[in-house]
Amino acid sequence: MALEKATLDNGLTVYNDRIPGARNNDVSVFVPYGSVNEQPGHEGVAHVFEHCVHLETDDFDNRTALRRYATAKGMMTNANTYYTRTIYYANGLELEPNMHYLSQILQHTHFPEESVEHELKAVRREMTTNLDSIDRMHTITSMDAMYGAPYGRSVGGFHDKIFFDTDTLKDLHDKYYKLGQMALIVSGKAKLDEVAQLASRYFEADQDTTQHANTPPVVAWGEHHRTGLVREDSNNVRMSVGYPMSSEFRDTFNERRLEFGVALSSLALSCFERMRYDKGISYDGSIYAMTFNHPDAWTLSGGVTTDKENIATAATIFDEIYSKRGADFEDSELQGKLAQFKHAFARQLLSTEDRVDSHVNKLQSYREPTDVRKVMRKLDTTRVDDIRRAVDEIADYATVTQQYTHLTGTRDAIGDVERIIDQSEIA
């Protein structure tokens, strides 16, 4: 059965991906409100919502009651916030408890003052803990170098400024958690009419139908092309080399994501082999597309962990990889990568969780979800020459696009850069 879509009278968009023979239902609600949508002064509130909507609701006096309900119904629940969205999960054998749970935390949540205060302490602790992760801070500051705030800001906001009173939380929640902007995604045994019926029963149309645009700021590429983050406690240097995607290249990339995905995977393997086996300067080394922060702030990137003596060698290897042409690859290499992609997608065909994740990934980049079986059919018709063409286009784009290099390590290891980024600017 194909992926089906419906828009309910209450404003909710529903995507139902039925798997005949499935015994469970994976249910997610996609809320198009993430860290890039936050207005100045509200940095981190999207992440705070993720933590606080489960503290108390109309039907459940406290978080313990809500958790016990989920356990009694055999449900697995979770949530996560990212740059462009927040996702709330409720997965279990039966559909109705999932709908009840999700409708409560999304439309009938309370923000009790004492509970919120305690949860905010946990959020601040989470954020300060993240500051200890060199890889995380390197990624955030490298995005800041290319695009600036809020694209280069941690999803959690500024850890020392996460203080929200309950009235502010309620007002912002009412403003941005609009049913007409959300999408319900169900994968499993349920049929569309059952999903629609339960979603109509449990989710209520917004009394205030004002739709607030969750449009993030315009992207502007950074003016500094070689930047650094000083971490004197590091014994390594983390290096990223990136090429921000223009809107034209991003559109081409999206139209032919499978071809570019296989092409990048092939380039990544070449990069890894050069870094680790040919030169012996690292245990990693990869090429990838970073598309997690916003559709207008995507980049082709390369990353490696090495030491200061090998930074120049790593930079040369990245230049070599981004110069590779499709003709440089043997048929067997590209056919093997195609086979790996087919295997990965074939596994998704029977996985309710993977099917939901696939649809969420589309929505968070402002694209319409696609039946994974259509993706599989597209893979079956993709040929080696299609991959070669994508490799050529990556090389052509890198040739005419300004390269951004970002280094994390000791001040001595970073060397001469145009800008040292203070992590307090973005965390």
Side-chain angles (χ1 to χ4, degrees):
M1 192 171 185
L3 177 69
E4 296 181 291
K5 177 183 177 181
T7 301
L8 307 184
D9 291 341
N10 58 17
L12 186 64
T13 300
V14 173
Y15 294 94
N16 191 64
D17 194 352
R18 184 164 181 258
I19 302 178
R23 300 185 63 181
N24 67 298
N25 293 290
D26 274 33
V27 185
S28 296
V29 175
F30 178 99
V31 181
Y33 186 70
S35 64
V36 297
N37 308 115
E38 297 161 347
Q39 297 300 308
H42 296 152
E43 292 91 344
V45 75
H47 184 62
V48 170
F49 286 149
E50 175 205 322
H51 278 254
C52 291
V53 296
H54 62 270
L55 297 177
E56 181 183 305
T57 74
D58 286 354
D59 289 353
F60 301 97
D61 292 339
N62 51 55
R63 61 178 301 174
T64 300
L66 193 61
R67 175 178 54 81
R68 285 177 176 171
Y69 174 80
T71 301
K73 299 297 183 179
M75 296 161 53
M76 300 292 291
T77 62
N78 208 340
N80 63 71
T81 309
Y82 228 23
Y83 283 81
T84 59
R85 51 72 173 165
T86 303
I87 302 291
Y88 295 91
Y89 305 91
N91 307 322
L93 295 175
E94 302 303 325
L95 185 62
E96 184 168 359
N98 298 337
M99 294 293 192
H100 185 195
Y101 178 94
L102 290 168
S103 67
Q104 283 293 301
I105 65 173
L106 291 172
Q107 286 199 299
H108 303 284
T109 189
H110 304 167
F111 294 101
E113 186 172 353
E114 183 176 357
S115 298
V116 167
E117 183 179 346
H118 287 176
E119 197 62 28
L120 289 179
K121 292 178 182 177
V123 173
R124 290 192 291 272
R125 173 52 53 195
E126 178 184 354
M127 295 314 303
T128 54
T129 300
N130 289 341
L131 294 180
D132 292 334
S133 169
I134 290 179
D135 283 348
R136 184 182 293 256
M137 290 306 302
H138 173 85
T139 299
I140 292 171
T141 51
S142 67
M143 297 307 297
D144 182 77
M146 278 188 279
Y147 301 112
Y151 307 100
R153 188 183 70 234
S154 172
V155 169
F158 297 91
H159 72 286
D160 58 345
K161 298 179 182 179
I162 304 177
F163 295 93
F164 297 98
D165 61 65
T166 56
D167 288 340
T168 298
L169 288 179
K170 186 179 187 310
D171 289 344
L172 291 176
H173 187 270
D174 290 345
K175 182 177 181 179
Y176 292 111
Y177 272 53
K178 294 290 189 180
L179 203 62
Q181 295 180 163
M182 299 181 192
L184 175 71
I185 309 165
V186 180
S187 179
K189 66 180 181 180
K191 297 181 180 179
L192 179 61
D193 56 354
E194 180 186 2
V195 173
Q197 182 182 39
L198 288 171
S200 297
R201 181 196 308 173
Y202 282 102
F203 289 91
E204 301 173 5
D206 297 310
Q207 293 181 348
D208 175 10
T209 58
T210 304
Q211 297 294 310
H212 296 275
N214 294 340
T215 305
V218 175
V219 169
W221 293 1
E223 60 183 20
H224 300 294
H225 304 136
R226 188 174 180 87
T227 55
L229 171 66
V230 175
R231 295 295 293 257
E232 295 293 356
D233 56 342
S234 176
N235 294 318
N236 298 304
V237 179
R238 182 66 186 167
M239 179 181 188
S240 290
V241 174
Y243 298 89
M245 291 190 192
S246 66
S247 59
E248 294 79 12
F249 188 79
R250 180 202 66 211
D251 291 343
T252 299
F253 184 91
N254 275 332
E255 289 169 6
R256 294 163 39 218
R257 269 205 166 210
L258 285 176
E259 298 167 27
F260 278 102
V262 179
L264 284 170
S265 183
S266 301
L267 291 171
L269 179 59
S270 294
C271 182
F272 173 76
E273 290 179 339
R274 288 283 287 144
M275 297 282 189
R276 180 164 176 171
Y277 297 116
D278 294 350
K279 294 296 184 180
I281 65 172
S282 180
Y283 65 88
D284 54 6
S286 187
I287 301 291
Y288 44 88
M290 290 177 63
T291 62
F292 62 81
N293 53 333
H294 187 265
D296 293 330
W298 291 358
T299 179
L300 294 172
S301 290
V304 67
T305 302
T306 184
D307 52 58
K308 66 177 183 179
E309 288 79 15
N310 292 314
I311 292 174
T313 301
T316 299
I317 292 174
F318 281 127
D319 289 342
E320 291 175 1
I321 297 301
Y322 275 116
S323 299
K324 287 179 76 71
R325 311 297 297 185
D328 296 332
F329 290 92
E330 300 288 339
D331 283 359
S332 58
E333 294 179 87
L334 301 182
Q335 288 168 346
K337 283 298 177 184
L338 267 172
Q340 289 178 343
F341 269 63
K342 289 180 181 180
H343 170 69
F345 275 94
R347 293 176 60 186
Q348 290 186 15
L349 294 179
L350 295 177
S351 168
T352 55
E353 181 179 4
D354 286 346
R355 296 269 273 261
V356 168
D357 286 346
S358 175
H359 305 320
V360 165
N361 288 337
K362 291 286 199 315
L363 287 171
Q364 75 177 11
S365 57
Y366 298 91
R367 295 180 294 144
E368 188 73 12
T370 306
D371 193 314
V372 294
R373 284 160 291 197
K374 291 184 179 180
V375 178
M376 194 71 196
R377 288 194 290 271
K378 172 64 176 175
L379 268 174
D380 287 335
T381 60
T382 299
R383 299 291 178 258
V384 165
D385 285 344
D386 299 324
I387 310 305
R388 286 201 169 96
R389 180 163 59 114
V391 172
D392 288 342
E393 290 178 60
I394 290 171
D396 291 340
Y397 184 74
T399 299
V400 299
T401 304
Q402 175 65 53
Q403 182 187 94
Y404 286 73
T405 299
H406 184 63
L407 300 161
T408 295
T410 65
R411 187 63 185 86
D412 178 59
I414 290 174
D416 292 331
V417 294
E418 299 169 46
R419 175 193 173 198
I420 292 291
I421 299 175
D422 187 332
Q423 67 180 30
S424 65
E425 300 174 33
I426 44 83

